[in-house]
């Protein structure tokens, strides 16, 4: 592990209050809790000094520790709500770690809802981030399927294009997808940033961002029952690969 690798921490957020898929972070996918795959990918990437799970739940903490992550403290309920912004728990976590004598130059957010993000995915992102100069952060993106050039703002019984910049003679909303400008949407698979942007600028991204282009199902995000069923299908049909997990499945008490 080189000096820079010795100064990056993995942060895996796993609050317990999910409503669309209750307890989705610990729901079983191929026999293991969903969060186990992000922990395994982080550990097996071998780029992190520490892998931390940020959770408000003692039950989640026990599961995270079983799979090899550290949970040195629980997240306060006031920053673990549906609308709590990421900056709150990231800043809280980095400050608590600093207070405990652990200070990191970089951090990476690895959300449990991306089970097909592999150790190689994380290593590729880290190498691309280190190869760039002058960037504050890296964020995973993929080409959008629903192009914003075909989206509308509706006000009463009238609507206007979300993006009105297209040429008048051929508006984007009336153009074929291949003729539209390439647009990318962020996905939840990973972010890497310099810790200074959290402390100095109160942001998790800073002002200079670089893209990380995910491939195949690396950016797949489980956020609904439909997503969950699709993830199970992708695993069953071997269309997507999960990180390998050395532990036997954690016995979750009902």
């Amino acid at each position: 592990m080189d000096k820079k690798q010795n100064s990056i921490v993995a942060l895996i957020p796993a609050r317990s209050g999910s409503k669309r898929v209750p307890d989705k972070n610990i729901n079983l996918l191929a026999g293991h809790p969903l969060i186990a795959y992000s922990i395994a990918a982080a550990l097996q990437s071998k780029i992190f000094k520490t892998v931390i799970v940020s959770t408000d739940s003692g039950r989640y903490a026990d599961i995270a520790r079983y799979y090899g992550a550290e949970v040195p403290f629980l997240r306060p309920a006031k920053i673990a709500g549906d609308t709590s912004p990421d900056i709150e728990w990231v800043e809280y976590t980095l400050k608590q770690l600093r207070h405990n004598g652990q200070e990191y130059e970089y951090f990476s957010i690895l959300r449990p809802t991306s089970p097909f993000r592999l150790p190689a995915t994380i290593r590729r992102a880290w190498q691309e981030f280190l190869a760039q100069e002058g960037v504050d952060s890296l964020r995973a993106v993929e080409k959008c399927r629903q192009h914003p050039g075909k989206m509308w703002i509706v006000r009463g019984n009238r609507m206007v294009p979300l993006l009105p910049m297209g040429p008048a003679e051929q508006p984007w909303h009336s153009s074929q997808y291949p003729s539209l400008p390439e647009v990318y949407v962020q996905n939840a698979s990973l972010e890497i940033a310099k810790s200074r942007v959290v402390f100095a600028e109160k942001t998790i991204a800073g002002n200079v961002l670089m893209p990380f282009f995910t491939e195949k199902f690396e950016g797949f995000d489980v956020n609904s029952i439909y997503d969950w069923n699709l993830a199970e299908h992708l695993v069953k049909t071997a269309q997507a690969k999960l990180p390998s997990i050395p532990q036997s499945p954690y016995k979750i008490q009902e």
Side-chain angles (χ1 to χ4, degrees), residues 40-164:
L43 292 171
Q44 292 167 26
S45 73
K46 299 190 181 302
I47 74 164
F48 300 109
K49 174 68 173 177
T50 313
V51 176
I52 301 287
V53 167
S54 169
T55 182
D56 57 327
S57 165
R59 182 187 184 200
Y60 283 27
D62 288 343
I63 294 170
R65 293 187 184 107
Y66 175 83
Y67 284 101
E70 295 183 20
V71 190
F73 41 80
L74 293 182
R75 191 194 308 187
K78 66 180 180 180
I79 58 172
D82 287 347
T83 59
S84 299
D86 285 330
I87 184 60
E88 290 184 348
W89 71 263
V90 172
E91 183 179 29
Y92 175 83
T93 303
L94 292 179
K95 280 185 174 180
Q96 288 295 111
L97 290 172
R98 176 188 280 180
H99 179 74
N100 294 344
Q102 297 173 275
E103 191 157 5
Y104 301 95
E105 186 176 356
Y106 310 95
F107 66 91
S108 178
I109 300 176
L110 304 172
R111 302 179 196 276
T113 51
S114 292
F116 304 125
R117 176 215 312 105
L118 300 174
T121 312
I122 300 171
R123 286 194 294 269
R124 193 173 83 245
W126 179 234
Q127 290 162 3
E128 290 182 14
F129 180 72
L130 292 179
Q132 291 289 321
E133 295 184 2
V135 298
D136 294 325
S137 66
L138 167 152
R139 181 164 292 189
V141 296
E142 59 190 58
K143 202 169 183 180
C144 70
R145 295 179 180 86
Q146 298 283 345
H147 199 286
K150 291 180 175 288
M151 294 180 181
W152 300 82
I153 302 286
V154 175
R155 295 190 176 97
N157 60 359
R158 300 288 187 275
M159 63 184 191
V160 295
L162 174 66
L163 299 180

Side-chain angles (χ1 to χ4, degrees), residues 15-27 34 60 81-83 111 113-114 188 220-229:
R15 69 181 188 85
S16 61
S18 174
K19 290 185 172 60
R20 284 182 289 180
V21 181
D23 280 326
K24 68 181 174 185
N25 290 321
I26 61 168
N27 272 5
L34 188 65
Y60 283 27
D82 287 347
T83 59
R111 302 179 196 276
T113 51
S114 292
F220 186 91
D221 191 30
V222 180
N223 269 311
S224 68
I225 295 296
Y226 174 84
D227 298 333
W228 193 274
N229 291 337

